[in-house]
């Protein structure tokens, strides 16, 4: 039996409450993880502030970007550092068997279906835990690697789904908590990357990883943005056709812009989430022979590839993450909501 210390959500916009509960029964297919870090995601804000319901009734411990060490479980996992995939599929259904395990309808998600990572420990299905090699911890703490579970793996999956090829012109709309990694991944895959945002501070962050083609669209109308994007595409020597457009801001204005930028043979991928609705002319997809792609989480089998990129120092997390004591959870959620934090926040247990 172990006492779990945690911060649970009790109601929309209410402060998280510190609680203690016990875990006494660990099944053969489960693992008990001592948490190193848990990232704060826009999805958590959607639950806490924007009224998106969790699948498990409240009160509930949120948090699905989790890294930690297995302290109870099978012998091959015990003592190992791991990342817990944000989407834990069943592995048996038709979707799982057809390569769509990320959208398994029997999936379990920490901080949504059961108590998540804003805690000292978490009990999870062990089947798809992603081991973390020593090479990945050379340049990062295990806590910092927690963002792999969503902020990094989600854009990785969608870039694969979009069939990005060498020298494709890639437009990343929104370089916040997800887009900052999406831009890096697109470049690793050989794309000619243009990062678009309304924050110059966020765009300037990309200089550290060598992404210098950026466009601050604050106060620009769509007509002017399209004109400038076409000019940058030409300057970069990219094709005017087959653009890969990734909407990662999770805003209505970002989605409007992404759709407006679609042209001949282009692909728009929707990664950011918003409850707002758009009014668009779907016939553009027909006329441009375009594609519109959605994505949900990331298949667990892709995690090893993501971790390898980090181990090889091709994909950088440290400049874009910041750790805080978990006791600061209420401050961090409010500051995140108010866009006061530039980097991805990771909460570390300090119970």
């Amino acid at each position: 039996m172990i006492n779990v210390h945690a911060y649970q959500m009790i109601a929309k916009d209410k402060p998280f409450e510190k609680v203690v509960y016990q875990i006494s029964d660990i099944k053969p297919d489960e693992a008990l993880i001592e948490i190193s870090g848990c990232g704060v995601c826009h999805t958590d804000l959607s639950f806490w502030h924007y009224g998106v319901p969790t699948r498990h009734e409240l009160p509930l411990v949120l948090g699905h970007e989790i890294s930690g060490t297995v302290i109870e479980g099978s012998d091959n996992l015990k003592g190992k550092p791991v990342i817990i995939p944000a989407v834990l599929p069943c592995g048996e259904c038709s979707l799982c068997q057809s390569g769509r395990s990320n959208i398994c309808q029997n999936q379990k998600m920490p901080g949504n279906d059961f108590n998540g990572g804003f805690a000292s420990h978490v009990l999870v299905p062990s089947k798809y835990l992603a081991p973390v090699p020593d090479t990945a911890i050379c340049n990062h703490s295990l806590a910092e690697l927690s963002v792999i579970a969503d902020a990094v793996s989600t854009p990785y999956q969608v870039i694969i789904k979009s069939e990005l090829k060498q020298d494709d012109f890639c437009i990343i709309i929104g370089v916040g908590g997800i887009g900052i990694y999406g831009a890096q991944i697109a470049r690793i895959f050989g794309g000619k990357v243009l990062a678009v945002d309304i924050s110059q501070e966020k765009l300037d962050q990309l200089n550290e990883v060598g992404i210098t083609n950026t466009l601050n669209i604050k106060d620009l109308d769509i007509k002017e943005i399209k004109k400038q994007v076409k000019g940058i595409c030409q300057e970069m020597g990219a094709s005017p056709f087959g653009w890969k457009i990734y909407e990662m801001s999770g805003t209505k204005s970002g989605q409007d812009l992404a759709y407006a930028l679609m042209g001949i043979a282009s692909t728009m991928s929707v990664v950011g989430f918003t409850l707002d609705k758009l009014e668009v002319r779907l016939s553009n997809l027909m006329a441009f022979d375009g594609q519109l792609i959605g994505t949900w989480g990331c298949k667990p089998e892709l995690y090893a590839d993501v971790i390898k990129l980090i181990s090889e120092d091709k994909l950088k997390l440290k400049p874009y993450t910041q750790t805080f004591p978990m006791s600061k959870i209420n401050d961090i959620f409010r500051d995140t909501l108010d866009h006061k934090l530039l980097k991805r926040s990771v909460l570390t247990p300090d119970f």
Side-chain angles (χ1 to χ4, degrees), residues 197-210:
D197 207 297
I198 59 173
S199 166
Q200 191 60 45
E201 197 172 9
K202 288 182 179 179
L203 292 169
D204 289 344
Q205 285 189 107
L206 288 165
N207 289 333
E208 190 158 350
V209 290

Side-chain angles (χ1 to χ4, degrees), residues 14 48 85-86 89 127 137 158 167 169 198 229 232 239 260 301 341:
K14 296 295 183 183
W48 177 70
K127 186 174 183 178
I137 310 178
V158 81
D167 294 329
F169 186 51
I198 59 173
V229 169
I232 293 170
S239 172
E301 51 264 41
L341 301 172

Side-chain angles (χ1 to χ4, degrees), residues 1 9 16 26 40 67-69 71 79 125 131 148 192 215 220-221 245 278 285 300 303:
M1 182 180 296
M9 176 182 169
F16 291 86
I26 301 175
V40 178
S67 62
T69 302
I71 60 172
I148 292 171
K192 294 186 174 182
L215 179 62
L220 299 181
D221 60 28
I245 305 162
L278 273 64
L285 287 173
Y303 275 63

Side-chain angles (χ1 to χ4, degrees), residues 228-253:
Q228 292 200 33
V229 169
K230 288 178 181 177
I232 293 170
C233 174
Q234 189 173 19
E235 290 171 7
M236 293 178 71
S239 172
F241 311 120
W243 291 0
K244 306 294 187 184
I245 305 162
Y246 303 95
E247 204 303 297
M248 299 195 178
S249 73
T251 63
K252 181 180 185 296
S253 58

Side-chain angles (χ1 to χ4, degrees), residues 11-172:
K12 180 178 179 290
D13 282 332
K14 296 295 183 183
F16 291 86
E17 288 192 351
K18 188 176 179 180
V19 296
V20 179
Y21 59 90
Q22 293 183 330
I23 292 177
S24 57
D25 182 25
I26 301 175
K27 299 174 183 176
D29 61 348
E30 294 179 328
L32 181 64
I33 313 295
E34 183 176 16
I35 293 171
S36 296
C38 184
V40 178
C41 177
H42 190 271
T43 302
D44 296 311
L45 288 181
S46 295
F47 294 145
W48 177 70
H49 175 71
Y50 291 105
V52 176
T54 55
R55 287 195 287 261
H56 188 288
E57 64 182 16
L58 299 179
L60 181 69
V61 179
L62 302 185
H64 57 274
E65 287 188 345
I66 312 168
S67 62
T69 302
V70 179
I71 60 172
E72 294 292 342
S74 60
D75 291 340
N76 65 314
L77 287 173
K78 200 168 180 179
K80 299 284 183 66
V82 295
I83 306 295
I84 302 171
V87 174
L88 294 160
C90 73
E92 307 295 334
C93 68
S94 60
L95 284 167
C96 288
Q97 295 300 311
S98 63
R100 302 295 296 273
S101 62
N102 62 297
I103 202 65
C104 166
Q105 295 301 284
N106 302 313
Q107 68 180 238
K108 301 297 181 185
M109 180 180 177
N112 190 1
D113 293 287
F114 59 90
N115 283 328
F118 297 132
S120 60
H121 301 78
V122 64
L123 184 65
V124 298
S126 61
K127 186 174 183 178
Y128 291 111
L129 293 177
V132 177
D134 292 341
T135 50
I137 310 178
C138 285
N139 297 317
H140 297 87
S141 67
L142 183 56
E144 288 170 329
L145 296 178
S146 65
V147 299
I148 292 171
D150 192 358
V152 184
S153 57
T154 295
Y156 182 84
Q157 173 174 276
V158 81
I159 285 169
I160 288 177
K161 286 181 70 174
S162 69
E163 299 180 342
L164 172 61
K165 302 184 296 296
Q166 182 75 31
D167 294 329
D168 279 349
F169 186 51
C170 304
I171 306 168
I172 309 293

